[in-house]
Amino acid sequence: ALGGPRSAEALAQAGDRAAALGLTLAVRNEAGSFVPTGAALAALLAEVAHDAVEADWRPADALAEGEAPADGLAALGAAGVAIACVGAHDGVPGDAWQERRIGEGEVGWPAHLAALAAAGFDGPVVIDALPKPVRASGLASATALIRAARAATR
């Protein structure tokens, strides 16, 4: 399991195996985990230093841990960490994280997508279909994210 002093070494070994298969591993930051923020993810992946191990950047999780999404993205860039994909959900931090549809929380998706585009990111954005009910919120979140992506690339 990740979280110990040998995490970077284990990820580098996994990167060797992935590279041999022509794959890329994406390591996720996740609120409440060993790697909750962009800064923590940047530090870990800078230590791993493997071309086949990249970031699964989740700015809402970083925000839930008190890190501004722009600061997390800047930390990844400063460390030279490649972003394989971006996980998209939104919410409002506080005593407890309050999940919201994309665009109704505090991530600031239009500005964040513009910053990602400016940094050269052109990979997939994966939508977490939250909050419940998934069917209604998933479509609304997808629509908001597409509008924000269009605005970011204009």
Side-chain angles (χ1 to χ4, degrees):
L2 289 179
R6 297 188 54 183
S7 295
E9 180 183 338
L11 284 170
Q13 290 173 359
D16 288 341
R17 292 186 192 113
L21 296 170
L23 301 173
T24 299
L25 297 178
V27 179
R28 171 183 295 174
N29 66 294
E30 186 170 10
S33 75
F34 157 65
V35 186
T37 63
L41 184 59
L44 175 63
L45 295 185
E47 187 177 348
V48 172
H50 198 295
D51 289 341
V53 182
E54 298 181 357
D56 174 2
W57 169 228
R58 303 177 63 79
D61 285 81
L63 180 62
E65 291 288 334
E67 179 184 69
D71 293 344
L73 182 59
L76 291 165
V81 172
I83 299 174
C85 57
V86 174
H89 66 107
D90 211 342
V92 178
D95 291 338
W97 178 255
Q98 298 173 33
E99 199 72 37
R100 298 284 192 265
R101 291 179 180 165
I102 291 173
E104 295 178 3
E106 295 183 12
V107 170
W109 279 105
H112 201 69
L113 289 169
L116 284 161
F121 175 75
D122 65 354
V125 177
V126 181
I127 299 172
D128 290 344
L130 299 171
K132 306 252 182 225
V134 171
R135 187 173 191 176
S137 66
L139 178 58
S141 287
T143 301
L145 189 62
I146 290 166
R147 287 182 180 144
R150 284 183 182 157
T153 56
R154 287 187 182 158

